[in-house]
Amino acid sequence: MKKQTRSSDDLLDAINFSDVKQASSLFLDKMSKKENALKIHNSLFPIVQRVLNPPFIAPHLPKMYSICRQLFPYLEQDEIPSLVRLEIEEYARREKLESLPRSGTTIPVEFSEIKTAIKSQDVNHTAELFTSAYVSLGKTEFAKQLLLLGSGYLSNSLGHSISCTAFILKEMMDRSDPWPALSALADYFCKGRFSETPDLRLEKLSSLKVEEVLLCAVSGSSIVDLHHTITLYAIEQVLHLLTPREYEYMLASWVEFVGDKRLELFSTDRKFDAPESYSQFDRVFSGFDAIETVNCLAALLSSDLKRHRMGRFIIKGLCEHYTGEYNPHFITGLGAVLWLIERYWDQPNVALTGLYQYIDFFYNNS
């Protein structure tokens, strides 16, 4: 492996060279000097796109980075640093993808050329073509084409060919320099061999019974079950990039991914008063009893303010119980379940079953 060059930012260097202790210390020093935690989070973008999670090929950590941005608004200002510190330690302790040489070429390309490069497993060339397509097709069309390319591999990739792709593309579209995201996706698509765009299916949403499948998707709390929810969450995040037909196709692919799965609804059998303070919530949360925790949180479904409190309590609990080593799905799964609750709060069967899916997964894998 080629030697990585140092940057002008000591924190990025500590993460790059996997020095967890130094990265954490540098962050705490920045906090002691009253630096802005969200600005520090934003500065991590280039290095995060190279963070790996072996033995898995999916770019879990770049996806986690994007989802954290949806979690920050739940927190009070003085609580945000704890989530950023968790991020930094997780990025630092993992291996990093070798930096790809940046391409300066932006000649017009056909998307078929990209698929040929992926088939040949040429990561550098694929990254170059991604850069050219980003310019010549425009970032919106490029993103859509890459999503459609990944959509044919949901079962092969446990949904990551859409879920990771969608969130990295969201970051790419928000950045003035898309190269780190483009190179991360080029590496992933080559490793995953995602090289064939399937034909769009003709099923209509009304015939898919998505709401019925959703109850099955949020059932169970294994890693596979969790990905059924995360994948739908990801599809909904990029809805604005898709035509109605493309969206229907994505949902049809997701329904096929969920498959013939047994329905296991969570039924609440105890009534709790809604926890008013984090300490009240943590007395239940720290007991690591998923049923008790979901029963406790059930009383917070009924209003925007209470659902915001629910999100804050869970994120704060995740940070306060951090052991120095977390599964990235603790963050990505949390983003998915908070989206699910905001979308389906008035359908308690969906919201609470999905909440149980996530909480039980967290407890069983912590």
Side-chain angles (χ1 to χ4, degrees):
M1 180 179 291
K2 292 188 293 186
K3 183 178 179 180
Q4 297 287 353
T5 57
R6 301 192 75 85
S7 74
S8 59
D9 189 313
D10 289 341
L11 176 57
L12 295 187
D13 282 338
I15 295 171
N16 188 36
F17 292 101
S18 300
D19 190 335
V20 179
K21 185 176 179 180
Q22 178 70 354
S24 182
S25 176
L26 287 167
F27 174 71
L28 292 176
D29 183 59
K30 287 175 181 288
M31 289 298 93
S32 72
K33 295 175 181 175
K34 307 299 182 184
E35 293 192 31
N36 186 291
L38 285 179
K39 286 185 178 179
I40 293 171
H41 163 86
N42 288 336
S43 75
L44 303 178
F45 169 72
I47 184 64
V48 170
Q49 306 311 306
R50 296 196 292 106
V51 178
L52 301 172
N53 189 34
F56 310 106
I57 66 168
H60 292 118
L61 281 302
K63 173 168 65 178
M64 172 179 139
Y65 176 78
S66 180
I67 290 174
C68 277
R69 296 148 90 73
Q70 300 189 16
L71 302 184
F72 290 133
Y74 284 94
L75 297 172
E76 303 292 338
Q77 283 299 309
D78 63 351
E79 295 166 344
I80 289 173
S82 62
L83 180 54
V84 178
R85 183 183 181 185
L86 186 159
E87 283 191 273
I88 285 170
E89 293 192 13
E90 287 300 304
Y91 304 144
R93 72 183 183 84
R94 288 176 164 84
E95 296 177 24
K96 312 299 182 295
L97 180 69
E98 184 177 312
S99 295
L100 297 180
R102 185 184 288 260
S103 171
T105 304
T106 55
I107 59 173
V109 298
E110 298 291 334
F111 205 79
S112 58
E113 296 176 67
I114 287 175
K115 294 190 276 190
T116 299
I118 293 171
K119 281 181 183 178
S120 70
Q121 299 289 284
D122 189 334
V123 177
N124 286 354
H125 186 44
T126 300
E128 290 174 359
L129 294 177
F130 276 14
T131 303
S132 293
Y134 176 89
V135 174
S136 62
L137 297 178
K139 62 184 180 182
T140 299
E141 181 63 22
F142 169 72
K144 180 168 76 170
Q145 291 299 326
L146 211 60
L147 287 166
L148 292 174
L149 181 58
S151 67
Y153 298 89
L154 293 187
S155 295
N156 301 45
S157 69
L158 202 56
H160 291 103
S161 57
I162 285 294
S163 64
C164 287
T165 301
F167 282 102
I168 296 174
L169 286 172
K170 278 171 63 69
E171 289 295 309
M172 175 202 78
M173 297 181 77
D174 288 342
R175 301 284 172 166
S176 58
D177 179 12
W179 172 252
L182 293 172
S183 57
L185 287 170
D187 178 77
Y188 178 47
F189 271 63
C190 285
K191 286 175 177 173
R193 300 178 184 271
F194 308 142
S195 60
E196 295 293 337
T197 303
D199 293 332
L200 299 188
R201 300 174 194 148
L202 300 178
E203 291 95 330
K204 297 297 182 184
L205 262 176
S206 59
S207 68
L208 292 175
K209 301 180 180 178
V210 171
E211 298 291 327
E212 187 177 304
V213 175
L214 178 61
L215 281 170
C216 294
V218 299
S219 296
S221 55
S222 72
I223 188 67
V224 175
D225 298 319
L226 193 69
H227 279 99
H228 293 153
T229 306
I230 292 172
T231 303
L232 180 62
Y233 168 48
I235 291 171
E236 294 296 320
Q237 297 300 300
V238 292
L239 171 60
H240 61 289
L241 299 176
L242 306 170
T243 66
R245 185 184 182 200
E246 290 162 348
Y247 175 62
E248 290 171 5
Y249 162 70
M250 289 281 192
L251 287 179
S253 298
W254 173 75
V255 167
E256 184 178 355
F257 172 44
V258 174
D260 185 15
K261 183 179 173 185
R262 188 175 68 178
L263 182 65
E264 298 175 9
L265 292 181
F266 178 86
S267 57
T268 181
D269 56 0
R270 293 185 59 188
K271 297 296 183 183
F272 280 66
D273 291 331
E276 295 291 336
S277 66
Y278 173 73
S279 60
Q280 284 180 313
F281 164 73
D282 192 53
R283 281 196 289 272
V284 178
F285 185 69
S286 60
F288 275 57
D289 184 319
I291 294 175
E292 290 288 286
T293 298
V294 176
N295 277 324
C296 170
L297 292 171
L300 294 174
L301 280 180
S302 60
S303 74
D304 289 343
L305 184 63
K306 288 180 179 179
R307 291 191 296 277
H308 187 89
R309 191 192 314 165
M310 180 195 299
R312 174 176 170 257
F313 286 171
I314 300 173
I315 298 164
K316 190 173 170 67
L318 202 69
C319 293
E320 290 202 354
H321 290 273
Y322 181 54
T323 59
E325 184 174 339
Y326 262 180
N327 186 323
H329 296 94
F330 293 170
I331 299 292
T332 59
L334 179 54
V337 76
L338 291 178
W339 164 81
L340 185 82
I341 286 167
E342 291 295 346
R343 176 80 172 267
Y344 297 99
W345 66 268
D346 57 345
Q347 298 180 46
N349 277 346
V350 174
L352 294 180
T353 301
L355 184 58
Y356 178 81
Q357 179 184 77
Y358 171 76
I359 295 291
D360 195 51
F361 175 83
F362 173 69
Y363 285 164
N364 286 325
N365 292 276
S366 293

